[in-house]
Amino acid sequence: MARYRPPLPAIATGLRAAWRDGYGLDDLRRDSLAGLTVGTVAVPLSMALAIATGVPPQHGLYTAIVAGVLIALTGGSRFNVSGPTAAFVVILFPIVQQYGLGGLLIASMMAGMILVALGITGMGRLIQYVPYPVVLGFTAGIAVVIAVLQLPDFLGLQVELGEHFVDNLGQIAISLPTVKPIELGVGLFALGVMLLWPRLGLPLPAPLVGLVAGALAAYGANLWLAGSGAEVETIASRFTWEAQGETGGGIPPIAPSFIAPWRLPGADGEPLALDFALIRALLGPAFAIALLGAIESLLCAVVSDGLTRTRHDPNAELIGQGLGNIVAPLFGGITATAAIARTATNIRSGARSPISAVVHALVVLLAVVALADLLGRVPMAALAALLFIVAWNMSEARHVLHTLRSAPPGDVAILATCFTLTVLFDMVLAVGVGMGLAAALFIRRMALLTETRRVDDALPARLGALPDAIALYDVNGPLFFGAAEKALTSLHGVDPQVRVVILDMHDVPSMDGTAIVALKSLIGEMHREGVSLVLVGLPTRILVKLRRAGIRRTAGRLTWCQELVHARSVALRWLDRTA
């Protein structure tokens, strides 16, 4: 007989689902328009997020192009749009500081392999077990870190930031006397345009309009300040590139091409040595990237399902995200995941299938090839203003305040802890501690719900009266390590005249190893005191556990049955034999 092998998770389920529902020219037109809209939003965001991560802006654009296409075609959501996201900044920035661009790309590939493994093993459903206060806490913390990292560019400060939040705050405070009013003015102007533009109700995306306005303001300011040394810093003045024998400033006007990440320089400018020591050092960051990528992409898929009344395949989505993060670094792309804001824009713009995300990537590619010179004119202060807005939207400040006011104290403590740890240390520690606190809180709540009480005064009518030598106890709730001792402690001191105890366990849905050990201890103590025990209503799966643990029926001492009436007759028969 052939052994059964569970089927592997499918890939490209989002694309296939759209195809099954029927896909025509009208759907293609809608996808093209949606992709054009999202692409115009993705261009400035991709540049800004790459710079916030600590790498040149073209790497964010390459991420949107390569990962955007591959994840859309192989993932499990019809509407997710993937690329660089703000949530990754707090993880990727320290990696760049320690290992350079090459180390970041290798860590992204390792994270992609982890995501593929999670999808193949069916771990996509685990996102539902991450509590809301944990997600809200670390996202708000990430937003604060992102906003602080933008202050130097927004204010025109001459300062080098490091890995630690508190140290960065100190460096920024020390460098405040170096504020450049012209940089601040351009940043405030761009920020004002981005905030006020949506009120006009015009179809152009506010980030695009704000950056164009900022670029025009910077161009005018630089004409006025030419040769003074106080010019507004732009992408072209900060970043240089060298490719295919050519050099220039800003963004190279060429499509992404194959590169070997392990041949790129590390943080010290020297080529990386791809060895076991480097892989071991990047393993922790890779797991952090994979964890956040899984959370972000699956949360985004849930949001898109709610907006479109569709259903995504979480395991296929993880596989698609993994494939995107494996391949994108080979073309200069950094870590990618699904972006909620771009996905929501995609849906509101009329998207019908993953083809819209492919079109979005083609729009970004066209911008790189045809508009690189114009993109280089965008001022750094305007990009910082854009990321201020991204950080504010990401923080979900209203939800945080509502949770702080209305949630139970335990959930408030979890949120505050995750927020604080994310800001002061890192997101991985915050999520780990937050999950631990949430688990402890859940255990405590479940333990409070589990109880054992004697019900001799309120016996069911069908059971009839019981003699004083028979005691009936009702056990309610799951018996696990947090509740077993509490629930069974009251049975250790039964009345001296009681010779048979009936435990009504119809309302016990589960028992873990700790509860079984506690039950064995109770059985042994009752046996020494000459008290017999009848267990009632346990499901078969729990009875199997008891047998495996060595708990078996003993004539006159221990048995189990399914009905209280049967248990009463057994108890009376045992009582008659001992009389």
Side-chain angles (χ1 to χ4, degrees), residues 41-61 84-86 89 93 146 149-150 153 194 207 211 235 238-239 251 334 342 375 378-391:
V41 174
V43 170
L45 281 174
S46 299
M47 294 191 301
L49 292 168
I51 293 171
T53 299
V55 300
Q58 64 266 26
H59 295 286
L61 297 169
T85 63
V89 170
F93 185 76
I146 292 173
L149 290 175
Q150 305 321 302
D153 285 339
M194 292 180 204
L211 292 184
I235 291 177
R238 176 176 290 189
F239 298 100
I251 296 171
I334 59 176
R342 272 160 274 173
L375 294 177
V378 175
M380 302 302 300
L383 288 174
L386 172 59
L387 287 179
F388 279 149
I389 295 176
V390 171

Side-chain angles (χ1 to χ4, degrees), residues 30-77:
R30 290 175 178 269
D31 278 337
S32 299
L33 292 175
L36 179 62
T37 302
V38 180
T40 57
V41 174
V43 170
L45 281 174
S46 299
M47 294 191 301
L49 292 168
I51 293 171
T53 299
V55 300
Q58 64 266 26
H59 295 286
L61 297 169
Y62 296 164
T63 307
I65 295 168
V66 180
V69 169
L70 191 57
I71 295 173
L73 295 180
T74 61
S77 172

